[in-house]
Amino acid sequence: MNDQHTRALHFRSLHVPGEPLVLVNAWDAASARIVAAAGARAVATTSAGVAWSLGAPDGDALGREAAVDLVRRVAAAVPVPVTVDIESGYGDTADEVAATVRAVVAAGAVGVNVEDARHDGGGPLREVADQCARLAAVRAAAEQAGVPLYVNARIDTFLRGVGGVEETVARARAYLAAGADGVFVPGTVDPETVAALVAAIPAPLNVLAGPGAPVVPELARLGVARISLGSSVAEAAYAVARRAAEETFGAGTYDALAGAFDYGALNELMRG
């Protein structure tokens, strides 16, 4: 799949309720290649993992240029479609968000996540009209670029504790009308809640899974179309680094390094 337009259409086709696209989120070229080699149908980035790997906190603190450079590296590293988490768009205005989208599309992405959380102290979530304007700008930028970009509208009502099913569905319908293709609702994996969201949102539903969440087949039975692991894989990787450091500086032993990825195998994978 060398043609970006073809990859974008293929990526869209992977969002099937009941047969979910499973995304083990990557944060650099190496993790992307590992995920792709394991059989991923697509690769997604995690904004938190990307930011941490580049020395910044999550939450719109990373600059657009650094974020786009990472997208370019990941897209060039794998043969499958790449969708990227652009936080709330790396810009204060809709025009700035559109500039981000044009840049990530030029870097090779075929999908984006755009969240409605605020990180500027102005409240937990953006006003619906404001977020709709940003999503409309994303759609227009993608159309201008000639790529059928999959726009995944992230709704942080559950994650921020500021709304339930009714508020989430209202936002979802507004965001879809503004140009989104799918809806991402992190913060809940309660089966009853997920089933209610699937029934009420007229678009593919994406949930955030991890330890304690229903297994993939159960989420599939609920009608979920996309399952993401988010920042949890990066968190687990960094936890190994912390355990290794604490053990070596403390007991002077190296047990935390057991089970490491074989050097030769990893190096060969990086040869492409």
Side-chain angles (χ1 to χ4, degrees):
M1 272 185 288
N2 294 322
D3 177 74
Q4 189 177 11
H5 192 277
T6 300
R7 290 198 306 274
L9 291 176
H10 177 63
F11 183 67
R12 284 177 166 275
S13 75
L14 298 177
H15 294 78
V16 181
E19 299 177 14
L21 170 64
V22 179
L23 298 170
V24 178
N25 298 71
W27 61 96
D28 60 10
S31 58
R33 280 197 173 167
I34 290 168
V35 170
R41 294 187 290 167
V43 166
T45 64
T46 159
S47 66
V50 167
W52 298 333
S53 73
L54 296 174
D58 191 25
D60 285 336
L62 189 66
R64 180 191 298 144
E65 183 176 349
V68 172
D69 181 63
L70 188 281
V71 173
R72 187 176 298 108
R73 290 173 182 272
V74 169
V78 296
V80 296
V82 172
T83 183
V84 299
D85 185 342
I86 59 170
E87 305 189 48
S88 63
Y90 303 117
D92 293 330
T93 67
D95 286 344
E96 290 172 342
V97 175
T100 297
V101 170
R102 287 192 292 271
V104 298
V105 169
V110 299
V112 292
N113 279 10
V114 186
E115 67 186 50
D116 62 0
R118 300 189 71 103
H119 301 283
D120 58 4
L125 301 183
R126 294 185 182 277
E127 295 297 325
V128 172
D130 180 21
Q131 186 66 1
C132 285
R134 297 165 79 86
L135 289 168
V138 170
R139 174 55 61 207
E143 290 177 353
Q144 290 169 3
V147 174
L149 188 75
Y150 189 93
V151 180
N152 205 29
R154 178 173 138 177
I155 301 174
D156 277 10
T157 42
F158 284 95
L159 205 60
R160 296 295 186 99
V162 292
V165 171
E166 184 176 352
E167 172 67 14
T168 304
V169 170
R171 283 180 174 262
R173 290 179 177 274
Y175 297 167
L176 292 167
D181 298 292
V183 173
F184 181 23
V185 184
T188 182
V189 287
D190 170 67
E192 184 176 345
T193 302
V194 171
L197 292 171
V198 167
I201 295 173
L205 179 69
N206 182 185
V207 299
L208 182 67
V215 296
V216 169
E218 182 176 349
L219 291 171
R221 284 193 294 271
L222 293 171
V224 169
R226 176 165 159 172
I227 300 169
S228 303
L229 299 191
S231 63
S232 60
V233 183
E235 291 170 29
Y238 289 129
V240 173
R242 183 177 67 179
R243 287 196 298 271
E246 291 176 345
E247 180 188 356
T248 307
F249 297 145
T253 54
Y254 321 102
D255 294 340
L257 300 177
F261 206 127
D262 177 73
Y263 171 89
L266 183 56
N267 208 43
E268 191 60 31
L269 185 60
M270 294 309 108
R271 296 185 195 279

mmCIF file of all heavy atoms in Angstrom, residues 42-95:
data_model
loop_
_atom_site.group_PDB
_atom_site.id
_atom_site.type_symbol
_atom_site.label_atom_id
_atom_site.label_comp_id
_atom_site.label_asym_id
_atom_site.label_seq_id
_atom_site.Cartn_x
_atom_site.Cartn_y
_atom_site.Cartn_z
ATOM 1 N N ALA A 42 -3.063 -1.644 11.239
ATOM 2 C CA ALA A 42 -2.763 -0.214 11.167
ATOM 3 C C ALA A 42 -1.958 0.135 12.401
ATOM 4 O O ALA A 42 -1.957 -0.603 13.398
ATOM 5 C CB ALA A 42 -4.043 0.616 11.112
ATOM 6 N N VAL A 43 -1.275 1.253 12.345
ATOM 7 C CA VAL A 43 -0.502 1.748 13.489
ATOM 8 C C VAL A 43 -1.055 3.100 13.903
ATOM 9 O O VAL A 43 -1.312 3.965 13.058
ATOM 10 C CB VAL A 43 0.993 1.858 13.147
ATOM 11 C CG1 VAL A 43 1.737 2.680 14.199
ATOM 12 C CG2 VAL A 43 1.613 0.468 13.037
ATOM 13 N N ALA A 44 -1.257 3.258 15.200
ATOM 14 C CA ALA A 44 -1.688 4.539 15.758
ATOM 15 C C ALA A 44 -0.626 5.049 16.716
ATOM 16 O O ALA A 44 0.039 4.251 17.399
ATOM 17 C CB ALA A 44 -3.011 4.372 16.508
ATOM 18 N N THR A 45 -0.458 6.355 16.769
ATOM 19 C CA THR A 45 0.447 6.929 17.766
ATOM 20 C C THR A 45 -0.326 7.293 19.026
ATOM 21 O O THR A 45 -1.550 7.441 19.008
ATOM 22 C CB THR A 45 1.158 8.181 17.237
ATOM 23 O OG1 THR A 45 0.179 9.219 16.988
ATOM 24 C CG2 THR A 45 1.937 7.886 15.972
ATOM 25 N N THR A 46 0.397 7.424 20.115
ATOM 26 C CA THR A 46 -0.145 7.943 21.360
ATOM 27 C C THR A 46 0.487 9.295 21.614
ATOM 28 O O THR A 46 1.720 9.408 21.661
ATOM 29 C CB THR A 46 0.139 7.014 22.549
ATOM 30 O OG1 THR A 46 0.052 7.761 23.788
ATOM 31 C CG2 THR A 46 1.531 6.390 22.494
ATOM 32 N N SER A 47 -0.312 10.324 21.782
ATOM 33 C CA SER A 47 0.252 11.668 21.977
ATOM 34 C C SER A 47 1.092 11.736 23.242
ATOM 35 O O SER A 47 2.123 12.408 23.281
ATOM 36 C CB SER A 47 -0.858 12.715 22.031
ATOM 37 O OG SER A 47 -1.679 12.545 23.173
ATOM 38 N N ALA A 48 0.661 11.026 24.284
ATOM 39 C CA ALA A 48 1.420 11.043 25.538
ATOM 40 C C ALA A 48 2.789 10.401 25.335
ATOM 41 O O ALA A 48 3.822 10.967 25.711
ATOM 42 C CB ALA A 48 0.642 10.322 26.630
ATOM 43 N N GLY A 49 2.796 9.212 24.727
ATOM 44 C CA GLY A 49 4.068 8.535 24.500
ATOM 45 C C GLY A 49 4.995 9.333 23.602
ATOM 46 O O GLY A 49 6.208 9.408 23.845
ATOM 47 N N VAL A 50 4.434 9.945 22.563
ATOM 48 C CA VAL A 50 5.235 10.784 21.670
ATOM 49 C C VAL A 50 5.837 11.954 22.440
ATOM 50 O O VAL A 50 7.042 12.241 22.345
ATOM 51 C CB VAL A 50 4.381 11.293 20.497
ATOM 52 C CG1 VAL A 50 5.099 12.408 19.746
ATOM 53 C CG2 VAL A 50 4.047 10.145 19.552
ATOM 54 N N ALA A 51 5.010 12.636 23.216
ATOM 55 C CA ALA A 51 5.495 13.793 23.976
ATOM 56 C C ALA A 51 6.588 13.386 24.959
ATOM 57 O O ALA A 51 7.635 14.031 25.039
ATOM 58 C CB ALA A 51 4.332 14.456 24.710
ATOM 59 N N TRP A 52 6.346 12.306 25.693
ATOM 60 C CA TRP A 52 7.345 11.861 26.675
ATOM 61 C C TRP A 52 8.665 11.506 26.006
ATOM 62 O O TRP A 52 9.736 11.842 26.513
ATOM 63 C CB TRP A 52 6.814 10.655 27.447
ATOM 64 C CG TRP A 52 5.582 10.940 28.245
ATOM 65 C CD1 TRP A 52 5.186 12.141 28.768
ATOM 66 C CD2 TRP A 52 4.558 9.999 28.613
ATOM 67 N NE1 TRP A 52 3.989 12.014 29.423
ATOM 68 C CE2 TRP A 52 3.578 10.712 29.351
ATOM 69 C CE3 TRP A 52 4.371 8.638 28.380
ATOM 70 C CZ2 TRP A 52 2.441 10.086 29.858
ATOM 71 C CZ3 TRP A 52 3.240 8.011 28.888
ATOM 72 C CH2 TRP A 52 2.296 8.733 29.622
ATOM 73 N N SER A 53 8.579 10.825 24.863
ATOM 74 C CA SER A 53 9.806 10.408 24.182
ATOM 75 C C SER A 53 10.606 11.610 23.686
ATOM 76 O O SER A 53 11.824 11.501 23.472
ATOM 77 C CB SER A 53 9.476 9.487 23.005
ATOM 78 O OG SER A 53 8.907 10.201 21.922
ATOM 79 N N LEU A 54 9.930 12.739 23.507
ATOM 80 C CA LEU A 54 10.599 13.946 23.029
ATOM 81 C C LEU A 54 10.852 14.956 24.149
ATOM 82 O O LEU A 54 11.210 16.105 23.892
ATOM 83 C CB LEU A 54 9.768 14.586 21.910
ATOM 84 C CG LEU A 54 9.622 13.720 20.656
ATOM 85 C CD1 LEU A 54 8.663 14.363 19.654
ATOM 86 C CD2 LEU A 54 10.975 13.475 19.995
ATOM 87 N N GLY A 55 10.649 14.516 25.397
ATOM 88 C CA GLY A 55 10.988 15.353 26.549
ATOM 89 C C GLY A 55 9.953 16.376 26.940
ATOM 90 O O GLY A 55 10.271 17.361 27.620
ATOM 91 N N ALA A 56 8.702 16.169 26.544
ATOM 92 C CA ALA A 56 7.628 17.107 26.867
ATOM 93 C C ALA A 56 6.503 16.363 27.589
ATOM 94 O O ALA A 56 6.342 15.152 27.420
ATOM 95 C CB ALA A 56 7.080 17.761 25.604
ATOM 96 N N PRO A 57 5.693 17.078 28.381
ATOM 97 C CA PRO A 57 4.519 16.443 28.990
ATOM 98 C C PRO A 57 3.391 16.341 27.972
ATOM 99 O O PRO A 57 3.379 17.059 26.968
ATOM 100 C CB PRO A 57 4.156 17.408 30.116
ATOM 101 C CG PRO A 57 4.597 18.749 29.613
ATOM 102 C CD PRO A 57 5.858 18.475 28.821
ATOM 103 N N ASP A 58 2.447 15.453 28.221
ATOM 104 C CA ASP A 58 1.261 15.369 27.391
ATOM 105 C C ASP A 58 0.371 16.572 27.684
ATOM 106 O O ASP A 58 0.454 17.181 28.750
ATOM 107 C CB ASP A 58 0.510 14.074 27.713
ATOM 108 C CG ASP A 58 -0.591 13.766 26.713
ATOM 109 O OD1 ASP A 58 -0.496 14.225 25.563
ATOM 110 O OD2 ASP A 58 -1.537 13.063 27.099
ATOM 111 N N GLY A 59 -0.480 16.925 26.753
ATOM 112 C CA GLY A 59 -1.425 18.015 26.996
ATOM 113 C C GLY A 59 -1.117 19.275 26.217
ATOM 114 O O GLY A 59 -1.050 20.363 26.776
ATOM 115 N N ASP A 60 -0.920 19.149 24.904
ATOM 116 C CA ASP A 60 -0.687 20.295 24.027
ATOM 117 C C ASP A 60 0.588 21.066 24.342
ATOM 118 O O ASP A 60 0.699 22.251 24.017
ATOM 119 C CB ASP A 60 -1.882 21.254 24.054
ATOM 120 C CG ASP A 60 -3.071 20.735 23.267
ATOM 121 O OD1 ASP A 60 -2.857 19.917 22.352
ATOM 122 O OD2 ASP A 60 -4.214 21.133 23.564
ATOM 123 N N ALA A 61 1.562 20.407 24.980
ATOM 124 C CA ALA A 61 2.822 21.084 25.289
ATOM 125 C C ALA A 61 3.855 20.895 24.186
ATOM 126 O O ALA A 61 4.791 21.689 24.062
ATOM 127 C CB ALA A 61 3.389 20.570 26.615
ATOM 128 N N LEU A 62 3.693 19.849 23.386
ATOM 129 C CA LEU A 62 4.639 19.572 22.310
ATOM 130 C C LEU A 62 4.367 20.487 21.125
ATOM 131 O O LEU A 62 3.218 20.724 20.768
ATOM 132 C CB LEU A 62 4.495 18.109 21.874
ATOM 133 C CG LEU A 62 5.541 17.567 20.901
ATOM 134 C CD1 LEU A 62 6.911 17.532 21.559
ATOM 135 C CD2 LEU A 62 5.135 16.178 20.429
ATOM 136 N N GLY A 63 5.396 20.988 20.513
ATOM 137 C CA GLY A 63 5.226 21.852 19.358
ATOM 138 C C GLY A 63 4.840 21.072 18.114
ATOM 139 O O GLY A 63 5.136 19.883 17.981
ATOM 140 N N ARG A 64 4.167 21.755 17.192
ATOM 141 C CA ARG A 64 3.712 21.116 15.959
ATOM 142 C C ARG A 64 4.865 20.518 15.172
ATOM 143 O O ARG A 64 4.772 19.387 14.668
ATOM 144 C CB ARG A 64 2.955 22.114 15.093
ATOM 145 C CG ARG A 64 2.460 21.510 13.776
ATOM 146 C CD ARG A 64 1.958 22.582 12.831
ATOM 147 N NE ARG A 64 0.828 23.298 13.397
ATOM 148 C CZ ARG A 64 0.603 24.597 13.233
ATOM 149 N NH1 ARG A 64 1.454 25.323 12.533
ATOM 150 N NH2 ARG A 64 -0.454 25.175 13.763
ATOM 151 N N GLU A 65 5.956 21.240 15.046
ATOM 152 C CA GLU A 65 7.068 20.775 14.214
ATOM 153 C C GLU A 65 7.612 19.435 14.711
ATOM 154 O O GLU A 65 7.851 18.509 13.919
ATOM 155 C CB GLU A 65 8.188 21.819 14.188
ATOM 156 C CG GLU A 65 9.350 21.449 13.274
ATOM 157 C CD GLU A 65 10.398 22.545 13.190
ATOM 158 O OE1 GLU A 65 10.144 23.665 13.667
ATOM 159 O OE2 GLU A 65 11.482 22.272 12.643
ATOM 160 N N ALA A 66 7.794 19.327 16.034
ATOM 161 C CA ALA A 66 8.306 18.077 16.596
ATOM 162 C C ALA A 66 7.309 16.943 16.407
ATOM 163 O O ALA A 66 7.684 15.805 16.092
ATOM 164 C CB ALA A 66 8.621 18.261 18.076
ATOM 165 N N ALA A 67 6.033 17.247 16.591
ATOM 166 C CA ALA A 67 5.001 16.223 16.425
ATOM 167 C C ALA A 67 4.941 15.722 14.984
ATOM 168 O O ALA A 67 4.842 14.519 14.735
ATOM 169 C CB ALA A 67 3.646 16.780 16.848
ATOM 170 N N VAL A 68 5.008 16.635 14.036
ATOM 171 C CA VAL A 68 4.923 16.257 12.624
ATOM 172 C C VAL A 68 6.156 15.464 12.199
ATOM 173 O O VAL A 68 6.058 14.496 11.435
ATOM 174 C CB VAL A 68 4.740 17.502 11.740
ATOM 175 C CG1 VAL A 68 4.858 17.142 10.261
ATOM 176 C CG2 VAL A 68 3.390 18.155 12.020
ATOM 177 N N ASP A 69 7.322 15.838 12.704
ATOM 178 C CA ASP A 69 8.537 15.093 12.379
ATOM 179 C C ASP A 69 8.411 13.644 12.842
ATOM 180 O O ASP A 69 8.825 12.714 12.125
ATOM 181 C CB ASP A 69 9.752 15.755 13.034
ATOM 182 C CG ASP A 69 11.043 15.024 12.704
ATOM 183 O OD1 ASP A 69 11.414 14.978 11.517
ATOM 184 O OD2 ASP A 69 11.678 14.482 13.633
ATOM 185 N N LEU A 70 7.817 13.435 14.011
ATOM 186 C CA LEU A 70 7.611 12.073 14.508
ATOM 187 C C LEU A 70 6.646 11.309 13.602
ATOM 188 O O LEU A 70 6.864 10.136 13.293
ATOM 189 C CB LEU A 70 7.100 12.131 15.948
ATOM 190 C CG LEU A 70 6.977 10.836 16.754
ATOM 191 C CD1 LEU A 70 5.751 10.037 16.404
ATOM 192 C CD2 LEU A 70 8.225 9.980 16.614
ATOM 193 N N VAL A 71 5.580 11.967 13.158
ATOM 194 C CA VAL A 71 4.627 11.326 12.246
ATOM 195 C C VAL A 71 5.344 10.869 10.980
ATOM 196 O O VAL A 71 5.135 9.744 10.494
ATOM 197 C CB VAL A 71 3.485 12.296 11.882
ATOM 198 C CG1 VAL A 71 2.588 11.680 10.807
ATOM 199 C CG2 VAL A 71 2.671 12.658 13.104
ATOM 200 N N ARG A 72 6.193 11.715 10.458
ATOM 201 C CA ARG A 72 6.926 11.381 9.226
ATOM 202 C C ARG A 72 7.787 10.136 9.434
ATOM 203 O O ARG A 72 7.838 9.251 8.569
ATOM 204 C CB ARG A 72 7.790 12.579 8.818
ATOM 205 C CG ARG A 72 8.479 12.435 7.476
ATOM 206 C CD ARG A 72 9.230 13.699 7.104
ATOM 207 N NE ARG A 72 8.329 14.841 6.975
ATOM 208 C CZ ARG A 72 8.250 15.853 7.842
ATOM 209 N NH1 ARG A 72 9.038 15.866 8.918
ATOM 210 N NH2 ARG A 72 7.412 16.841 7.659
ATOM 211 N N ARG A 73 8.435 10.049 10.577
ATOM 212 C CA ARG A 73 9.303 8.902 10.868
ATOM 213 C C ARG A 73 8.485 7.613 10.998
ATOM 214 O O ARG A 73 8.871 6.559 10.481
ATOM 215 C CB ARG A 73 10.093 9.150 12.146
ATOM 216 C CG ARG A 73 11.159 10.230 12.025
ATOM 217 C CD ARG A 73 11.782 10.542 13.378
ATOM 218 N NE ARG A 73 12.754 11.606 13.280
ATOM 219 C CZ ARG A 73 14.040 11.440 12.992
ATOM 220 N NH1 ARG A 73 14.498 10.211 12.775
ATOM 221 N NH2 ARG A 73 14.860 12.448 12.930
ATOM 222 N N VAL A 74 7.361 7.695 11.701
ATOM 223 C CA VAL A 74 6.524 6.510 11.897
ATOM 224 C C VAL A 74 5.921 6.053 10.574
ATOM 225 O O VAL A 74 5.926 4.861 10.237
ATOM 226 C CB VAL A 74 5.427 6.784 12.941
ATOM 227 C CG1 VAL A 74 4.385 5.667 12.949
ATOM 228 C CG2 VAL A 74 6.043 6.942 14.336
ATOM 229 N N ALA A 75 5.381 6.989 9.799
ATOM 230 C CA ALA A 75 4.754 6.633 8.524
ATOM 231 C C ALA A 75 5.755 6.000 7.564
ATOM 232 O O ALA A 75 5.400 5.101 6.787
ATOM 233 C CB ALA A 75 4.112 7.869 7.899
ATOM 234 N N ALA A 76 6.997 6.454 7.618
ATOM 235 C CA ALA A 76 8.027 5.906 6.737
ATOM 236 C C ALA A 76 8.518 4.536 7.216
ATOM 237 O O ALA A 76 9.104 3.783 6.435
ATOM 238 C CB ALA A 76 9.207 6.867 6.649
ATOM 239 N N ALA A 77 8.258 4.213 8.486
ATOM 240 C CA ALA A 77 8.812 2.995 9.075
ATOM 241 C C ALA A 77 7.961 1.758 8.869
ATOM 242 O O ALA A 77 8.452 0.641 9.024
ATOM 243 C CB ALA A 77 9.040 3.207 10.575
ATOM 244 N N VAL A 78 6.675 1.933 8.542
ATOM 245 C CA VAL A 78 5.771 0.780 8.494
ATOM 246 C C VAL A 78 5.005 0.732 7.169
ATOM 247 O O VAL A 78 4.762 1.765 6.541
ATOM 248 C CB VAL A 78 4.765 0.810 9.666
ATOM 249 C CG1 VAL A 78 5.499 0.682 10.995
ATOM 250 C CG2 VAL A 78 3.916 2.081 9.653
ATOM 251 N N PRO A 79 4.584 -0.478 6.750
ATOM 252 C CA PRO A 79 3.867 -0.630 5.484
ATOM 253 C C PRO A 79 2.350 -0.533 5.619
ATOM 254 O O PRO A 79 1.634 -0.705 4.633
ATOM 255 C CB PRO A 79 4.275 -2.041 5.051
ATOM 256 C CG PRO A 79 4.418 -2.784 6.335
ATOM 257 C CD PRO A 79 4.967 -1.781 7.326
ATOM 258 N N VAL A 80 1.860 -0.263 6.825
ATOM 259 C CA VAL A 80 0.414 -0.218 7.065
ATOM 260 C C VAL A 80 -0.036 1.227 7.276
ATOM 261 O O VAL A 80 0.785 2.117 7.517
ATOM 262 C CB VAL A 80 0.040 -1.079 8.293
ATOM 263 C CG1 VAL A 80 0.355 -2.550 8.033
ATOM 264 C CG2 VAL A 80 0.754 -0.585 9.556
ATOM 265 N N PRO A 81 -1.343 1.483 7.204
ATOM 266 C CA PRO A 81 -1.841 2.847 7.435
ATOM 267 C C PRO A 81 -1.463 3.360 8.829
ATOM 268 O O PRO A 81 -1.422 2.590 9.797
ATOM 269 C CB PRO A 81 -3.357 2.692 7.306
ATOM 270 C CG PRO A 81 -3.554 1.471 6.479
ATOM 271 C CD PRO A 81 -2.434 0.547 6.852
ATOM 272 N N VAL A 82 -1.220 4.651 8.911
ATOM 273 C CA VAL A 82 -0.855 5.288 10.182
ATOM 274 C C VAL A 82 -1.866 6.376 10.517
ATOM 275 O O VAL A 82 -2.145 7.259 9.702
ATOM 276 C CB VAL A 82 0.562 5.898 10.113
ATOM 277 C CG1 VAL A 82 0.858 6.724 11.367
ATOM 278 C CG2 VAL A 82 1.605 4.798 9.952
ATOM 279 N N THR A 83 -2.402 6.295 11.724
ATOM 280 C CA THR A 83 -3.276 7.346 12.243
ATOM 281 C C THR A 83 -2.598 7.965 13.444
ATOM 282 O O THR A 83 -1.917 7.271 14.217
ATOM 283 C CB THR A 83 -4.668 6.786 12.608
ATOM 284 O OG1 THR A 83 -5.504 7.875 13.040
ATOM 285 C CG2 THR A 83 -4.601 5.752 13.707
ATOM 286 N N VAL A 84 -2.750 9.266 13.606
ATOM 287 C CA VAL A 84 -1.969 9.958 14.631
ATOM 288 C C VAL A 84 -2.863 10.744 15.584
ATOM 289 O O VAL A 84 -3.901 11.281 15.193
ATOM 290 C CB VAL A 84 -0.918 10.901 14.002
ATOM 291 C CG1 VAL A 84 0.056 10.107 13.159
ATOM 292 C CG2 VAL A 84 -1.554 11.988 13.166
ATOM 293 N N ASP A 85 -2.433 10.762 16.822
ATOM 294 C CA ASP A 85 -3.101 11.537 17.863
ATOM 295 C C ASP A 85 -2.486 12.935 17.856
ATOM 296 O O ASP A 85 -1.314 13.094 18.197
ATOM 297 C CB ASP A 85 -2.889 10.851 19.214
ATOM 298 C CG ASP A 85 -3.642 11.515 20.355
ATOM 299 O OD1 ASP A 85 -4.052 12.686 20.197
ATOM 300 O OD2 ASP A 85 -3.804 10.878 21.401
ATOM 301 N N ILE A 86 -3.280 13.929 17.458
ATOM 302 C CA ILE A 86 -2.757 15.300 17.413
ATOM 303 C C ILE A 86 -3.285 16.139 18.577
ATOM 304 O O ILE A 86 -3.366 17.361 18.485
ATOM 305 C CB ILE A 86 -3.049 15.977 16.062
ATOM 306 C CG1 ILE A 86 -4.553 16.047 15.762
ATOM 307 C CG2 ILE A 86 -2.314 15.275 14.934
ATOM 308 C CD1 ILE A 86 -4.901 16.918 14.552
ATOM 309 N N GLU A 87 -3.627 15.456 19.692
ATOM 310 C CA GLU A 87 -4.145 16.140 20.873
ATOM 311 C C GLU A 87 -5.325 17.025 20.460
ATOM 312 O O GLU A 87 -6.249 16.551 19.825
ATOM 313 C CB GLU A 87 -3.019 16.881 21.584
ATOM 314 C CG GLU A 87 -1.858 15.947 21.940
ATOM 315 C CD GLU A 87 -0.818 16.563 22.814
ATOM 316 O OE1 GLU A 87 -1.170 17.182 23.834
ATOM 317 O OE2 GLU A 87 0.380 16.410 22.502
ATOM 318 N N SER A 88 -5.303 18.310 20.771
ATOM 319 C CA SER A 88 -6.414 19.156 20.338
ATOM 320 C C SER A 88 -6.059 19.959 19.091
ATOM 321 O O SER A 88 -6.749 20.906 18.721
ATOM 322 C CB SER A 88 -6.879 20.090 21.460
ATOM 323 O OG SER A 88 -5.863 20.981 21.822
ATOM 324 N N GLY A 89 -4.962 19.557 18.437
ATOM 325 C CA GLY A 89 -4.631 20.154 17.147
ATOM 326 C C GLY A 89 -3.387 21.007 17.107
ATOM 327 O O GLY A 89 -3.066 21.570 16.059
ATOM 328 N N TYR A 90 -2.677 21.145 18.233
ATOM 329 C CA TYR A 90 -1.468 21.957 18.279
ATOM 330 C C TYR A 90 -1.712 23.351 17.733
ATOM 331 O O TYR A 90 -0.948 23.878 16.914
ATOM 332 C CB TYR A 90 -0.316 21.281 17.527
ATOM 333 C CG TYR A 90 0.005 19.902 18.048
ATOM 334 C CD1 TYR A 90 -0.136 18.769 17.250
ATOM 335 C CD2 TYR A 90 0.448 19.724 19.360
ATOM 336 C CE1 TYR A 90 0.149 17.506 17.734
ATOM 337 C CE2 TYR A 90 0.738 18.446 19.847
ATOM 338 C CZ TYR A 90 0.583 17.348 19.036
ATOM 339 O OH TYR A 90 0.859 16.093 19.515
ATOM 340 N N GLY A 91 -2.801 23.966 18.190
ATOM 341 C CA GLY A 91 -3.108 25.326 17.762
ATOM 342 C C GLY A 91 -4.273 25.895 18.546
ATOM 343 O O GLY A 91 -5.172 25.156 18.952
ATOM 344 N N ASP A 92 -4.262 27.204 18.747
ATOM 345 C CA ASP A 92 -5.334 27.863 19.502
ATOM 346 C C ASP A 92 -6.578 28.098 18.660
ATOM 347 O O ASP A 92 -7.686 28.169 19.187
ATOM 348 C CB ASP A 92 -4.840 29.206 20.053
ATOM 349 C CG ASP A 92 -3.757 29.039 21.108
ATOM 350 O OD1 ASP A 92 -3.771 27.998 21.814
ATOM 351 O OD2 ASP A 92 -2.895 29.925 21.220
ATOM 352 N N THR A 93 -6.405 28.213 17.355
ATOM 353 C CA THR A 93 -7.531 28.538 16.481
ATOM 354 C C THR A 93 -7.799 27.400 15.502
ATOM 355 O O THR A 93 -6.949 26.527 15.277
ATOM 356 C CB THR A 93 -7.244 29.815 15.675
ATOM 357 O OG1 THR A 93 -6.174 29.542 14.751
ATOM 358 C CG2 THR A 93 -6.839 30.966 16.592
ATOM 359 N N ALA A 94 -8.965 27.453 14.875
ATOM 360 C CA ALA A 94 -9.308 26.450 13.871
ATOM 361 C C ALA A 94 -8.331 26.487 12.702
ATOM 362 O O ALA A 94 -7.966 25.431 12.152
ATOM 363 C CB ALA A 94 -10.737 26.689 13.383
ATOM 364 N N ASP A 95 -7.894 27.661 12.314
ATOM 365 C CA ASP A 95 -6.937 27.773 11.210
ATOM 366 C C ASP A 95 -5.611 27.117 11.562
ATOM 367 O O ASP A 95 -4.974 26.478 10.708
ATOM 368 C CB ASP A 95 -6.701 29.247 10.858
ATOM 369 C CG ASP A 95 -7.874 29.860 10.113
ATOM 370 O OD1 ASP A 95 -8.723 29.096 9.606
ATOM 371 O OD2 ASP A 95 -7.937 31.102 10.045
#
